[in-house]
C-alpha cells in the first residue's frame, strides 16, 4: 500500500464516517507503512490513536481490505516528540493515586517543557460528549461545556458548573477535556480534583518548592478543577488557588470548575474567591427529569447489553426505574447493573416482576411520600377545578370523577387508612372512598383517558 492508495481509501471513508468525524479523526492520520498485515499510522497524540482505534478501527479495516489489501491490525505511533508537542491530558481524582505520582516540581524543568504525563491516571474513556444525554434540565450546562470545548476565543472564564451528587458534572468535565485535547493537541490541559490541588500544594510546601508548583499550574492553557468546594475553609490552599486563578485568567487562559453548589453557597469560601468564581458563566446541572432519566437509561442499555449478551429488558422496566429512582444518575446506573446481572445469572428476561423483586430496596427508599393535601391540590389543578369543588358535595361528573381519582391516588400513594382518607375528603364515610377507588380501578381498564390522567398525576406527584 502506498501513500496514494491510502489517500483513495481515506476518501471512501469520508462518506462512511461523515464529514465531521473525517476532519477530526481520519484526515490527521498519516500513513506510515503496511507490513505483515499491520498497518501503521503516525498520530499527533496517544489519545488520538486510542480514539481512532476504539471508534473507527472496524471501518478502516473494512475499507482497506475491500480495496484489495490484507490488513489484520492497525497500529499507531505518536509523532516524534521533537516534531510535535506531546501534551497528554492528565487526570487526578483520588489522593491515593496522587500519592503514587512522582513528586512534581523539584526537578521540574522550565515551564515551557512541563508535561502532565507525570500526574498519572487517565480520564474516564466513557465520559465523552457522545455518551452524555442532553435534556431540558442539563441543556444549558451542556451547551456551555460544548462551546468552551470547541475552542475559539475564551468566552466564559471561568466556566463554573454546579449540581448535586451524581448528576454529570465530572462526566461533562472529562468530555470537555477529551474534546479540547482532540481538537487542539497542542494545548496544555490539566484536569484534577480540588483535593489533588491541595495535595500538590502541601507537597510543594513540604518540599520547599513553591516555584515548581507555581510554574506547573501557571503554564497550563486550560485548568480544570473538579469539586472546588473541597478547598473551602482551607485558608492557604484557597489563597494559592486565588493567585493561580488570577494569573491564568489574566493571561487569557481558560479555567473550568465544578462544585456541588453555586459559588455563593459554598460555606467557608472567601468572598473574594466567590466573586471571582461568579465572574464568568455559572451553570447549573439540574436534577434530572423523568424524560432525561429515561433517555440516560436507554443510552446505557447498549453498553450493558454488550457486557451481558443475551439479557433483554422487558417492556416498562426502564420507565419504572426512571419514574421511581429520581435522585441520582449514579444510583440509576447501579440499578441497571443489578438488573443485567440478575437477568444473566437467572437466564431470563428482566421483566417488571424481576425488576420489582431485585430492586426492592431502591424502590422502597425512593417511594414517593405524598400527602393527601398534595394529591388533592394536584388533582384540582390538573382538572382545572377549585379545591372546594373537589372536596365539596357537588355530584356532577365534572367534579365527582376527579374526586374519585384523588381518592384512588390517596389510597395507592399514601399509607393512610380508608377512614382517615374519608375524613380528609370533607368527612365522608369510608365506604364512599371504597366505592370511588373501585370505580377508578374499573374505569382504568375501559377508559384510556383515565389511565393517562392517572399516569400524569402520578408522575407529577412522584417524579419531577
Ligand atoms: N446526562 C447524562 N448522560 C449520560 N450519563 C450521565 C449523565 N449524567 C450523569 N451521567 C452518569 O452518571 C454517573 C455520575 O456522573 P458524574 O460522576 O459526572 O457525577 P458528578 O455530578 O460529578 O457527581 P459527584 O459530585 O458525586 O462527583 C456517571 O457514570 C455519568 O456518566
Amino acid at each position: 500500500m502506498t501513500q496514494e492508495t491510502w489517500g483513495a481509501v481515506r476518501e471512501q471513508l469520508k462518506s462512511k464516517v461523515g464529514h465531521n468525524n473525517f476532519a477530526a479523526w481520519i484526515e490527521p492520520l498519516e500513513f506510515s507503512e503496511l507490513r505483515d498485515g499491520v498497518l501503521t499510522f503516525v498520530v499527533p497524540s496517544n489519545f488520538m490513536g486510542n480514539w481512532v482505534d476504539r471508534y473507527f478501527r472496524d471501518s478502516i479495516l473494512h475499507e482497506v481490505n475491500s480495496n484489495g489489501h490484507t490488513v489484520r491490525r492497525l497500529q499507531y505511533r505518536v509523532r516524534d516528540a521533537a516534531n510535535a508537542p506531546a501534551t497528554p491530558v492528565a487526570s487526578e481524582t483520588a489522593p491515593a493515586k496522587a500519592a503514587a505520582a512522582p513528586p512534581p516540581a523539584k526537578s521540574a524543568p522550565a515551564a515551557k517543557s512541563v508535561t502532565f504525563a507525570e500526574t498519572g491516571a487517565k480520564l474516564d474513556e466513557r465520559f465523552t460528549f457522545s455518551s452524555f444525554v442532553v435534556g431540558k434540565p442539563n441543556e444549558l450546562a451542556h451547551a456551555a461545556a460544548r462551546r468552551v470545548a470547541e475552542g475559539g476565543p475564551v468566552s466564559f472564564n471561568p466556566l463554573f458548573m454546579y449540581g448535586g451528587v451524581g448528576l454529570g458534572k465530572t462526566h461533562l468535565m472529562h468530555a470537555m477535556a477529551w474534546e479540547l485535547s482532540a481538537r487542539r493537541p497542542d494545548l496544555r490541559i490539566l484536569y484534577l480534583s480540588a483535593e489533588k490541588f491541595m495535595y500538590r500544594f502541601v507537597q510543594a510546601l513540604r518540599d520547599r518548592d513553591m516555584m515548581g508548583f507555581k510554574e506547573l499550574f501557571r503554564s497550563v492553557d486550560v485548568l480544570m478543577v473538579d469539586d472546588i468546594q473541597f478547598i473551602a475553609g482551607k485558608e492557604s490552599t484557597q489563597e494559592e488557588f486565588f493567585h493561580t486563578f488570577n494569573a491564568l485568567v489574566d493571561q487569557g487562559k481558560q479555567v473550568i470548575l465544578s462544585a456541588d453548589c453555586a459559588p455563593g453557597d459554598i460555606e467557608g469560601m472567601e468572598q473574594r474567591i466567590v466573586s471571582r468564581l461568579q465572574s464568568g458563566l455559572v451553570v447549573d446541572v439540574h436534577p434530572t427529569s423523568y424524560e432525561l432519566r429515561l433517555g440516560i437509561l436507554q443510552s446505557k442499555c447498549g453498553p450493558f447489553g454488550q457486557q451481558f449478551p443475551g439479557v433483554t429488558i422487558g417492556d416498562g422496566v426502564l420507565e419504572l426505574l426512571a419514574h421511581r429512582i429520581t435522585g441520582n444518575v449514579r444510583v440509576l446506573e447501579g440499578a441497571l447493573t443489578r438488573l443485567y446481572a440478575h437477568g444473566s445469572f437467572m437466564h431470563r428476561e428482566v421483566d417488571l416482576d424481576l425488576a420489582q423483586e431485585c430492586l426492592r430496596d431502591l424502590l422502597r427508599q425512593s417511594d414517593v411520600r405524598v400527602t393527601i393535601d398534595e394529591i388533592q391540590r394536584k388533582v384540582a389543578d390538573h382538572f382545572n377545578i377549585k379545591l372546594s369543588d373537589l372536596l365539596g358535595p357537588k355530584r356532577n361528573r365534572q367534579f365527582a370523577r376527579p374526586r374519585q381519582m384523588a381518592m384512588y391516588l390517596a389510597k395507592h400513594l399514601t399509607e393512610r387508612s380508608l377512614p382517615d382518607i374519608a375524613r380528609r375528603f370533607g368527612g365522608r364515610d369510608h365506604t364512599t372512598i371504597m366505592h370511588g377507588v373501585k370505580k377508578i380501578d374499573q374505569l382504568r381498564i375501559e377508559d384510556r383517558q383515565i389511565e393517562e390522567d392517572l399516569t400524569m398525576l402520578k408522575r407529577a406527584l412522584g417524579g419531577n
Side-chain angles (χ1 to χ4, degrees), residues 33-104:
E33 59 172 1
L34 171 56
R35 184 181 295 179
D36 301 333
V38 181
L39 172 57
T40 306
F41 293 110
V42 175
V43 289
S45 64
N46 263 329
F47 166 74
M48 168 116 193
N50 288 339
W51 188 283
V52 170
D53 203 56
R54 197 181 168 98
Y55 295 103
F56 302 108
R57 181 186 50 220
D58 292 347
S59 307
I60 297 176
L61 282 175
H62 177 80
E63 220 52 50
V64 172
N65 286 325
S66 34
N67 274 272
H69 303 281
T70 310
V71 179
R72 283 177 291 103
R73 194 157 68 77
L74 303 181
Q75 178 173 284
Y76 309 86
R77 218 180 53 231
V78 178
R79 190 180 302 132
D80 194 346
N83 301 328
T87 312
V89 174
S91 153
E92 309 171 336
T93 44
K97 279 184 200 143

Side-chain angles (χ1 to χ4, degrees), residues 127 131-133 138 166-171 300 329-330 333:
F127 293 176
S131 62
F132 190 80
V133 181
N138 61 12
L167 294 178
K169 300 180 299 292
T170 301
H171 188 134
K300 306 259 170 194
V329 180
R330 207 171 277 133
E333 287 177 341

Side-chain angles (χ1 to χ4, degrees), residues 347-365:
H347 302 290
R348 58 174 272 204
E349 186 196 53
V350 180
D351 56 13
L352 274 169
D353 284 345
L354 181 62
Q356 305 254 20
E357 172 67 28
C358 75
L359 298 178
R360 207 180 307 150
D361 55 332
L362 285 180
L363 298 179
R364 196 182 320 117
Q365 261 176 32

Side-chain angles (χ1 to χ4, degrees), residues 211-379:
M211 274 302 285
F213 178 90
K214 285 182 198 294
E215 269 169 10
L216 176 71
F217 281 93
R218 290 169 200 195
S219 66
V220 301
D221 298 303
V222 182
L223 176 65
M224 310 178 81
V225 186
D226 212 347
D227 289 325
I228 193 69
Q229 78 280 352
F230 182 82
I231 64 166
K234 304 184 171 89
E235 265 174 45
S236 354
T237 309
Q238 279 193 55
E239 176 80 19
E240 192 51 43
F241 176 76
F242 179 72
H243 294 307
T244 305
F245 179 97
N246 286 342
L248 289 175
V249 172
D250 284 351
Q251 291 174 59
K253 302 298 166 90
Q254 180 74 53
V255 178
I256 302 166
L257 305 164
S258 84
D260 62 358
C261 57
D265 295 335
I266 306 181
E267 264 178 51
M269 193 69 106
E270 275 181 49
Q271 201 44 48
R272 60 184 180 150
I273 299 191
V274 170
S275 67
R276 289 294 189 291
L277 300 182
Q278 289 166 330
S279 62
L281 179 67
V282 176
V283 286
D284 178 1
V285 184
H286 279 286
T288 57
S289 63
Y290 170 81
E291 288 76 13
L292 181 53
R293 286 193 296 273
L294 189 59
I296 292 175
L297 285 167
Q298 284 162 343
S299 81
K300 306 259 170 194
C301 278
F304 271 112
Q306 283 171 6
Q307 267 181 57
F308 299 97
V311 179
T312 49
I313 300 282
D315 285 347
V317 171
L318 297 185
E319 286 78 0
L320 172 81
L321 263 59
H323 184 51
R324 298 283 296 276
I325 305 178
T326 54
N328 177 333
V329 180
R330 207 171 277 133
V331 179
L332 271 182
E333 287 177 341
L336 211 49
T337 311
R338 220 193 281 179
L339 290 185
Y340 272 97
H342 270 74
S344 156
F345 299 149
M346 300 172 77
H347 302 290
R348 58 174 272 204
E349 186 196 53
V350 180
D351 56 13
L352 274 169
D353 284 345
L354 181 62
Q356 305 254 20
E357 172 67 28
C358 75
L359 298 178
R360 207 180 307 150
D361 55 332
L362 285 180
L363 298 179
R364 196 182 320 117
Q365 261 176 32
S366 64
D367 260 353
V368 191
R369 294 195 192 287
V370 271
T371 62
I372 295 180
D373 271 356
E374 274 174 275
I375 293 174
Q376 292 170 339
R377 266 186 280 116
K378 277 273 183 319
V379 173

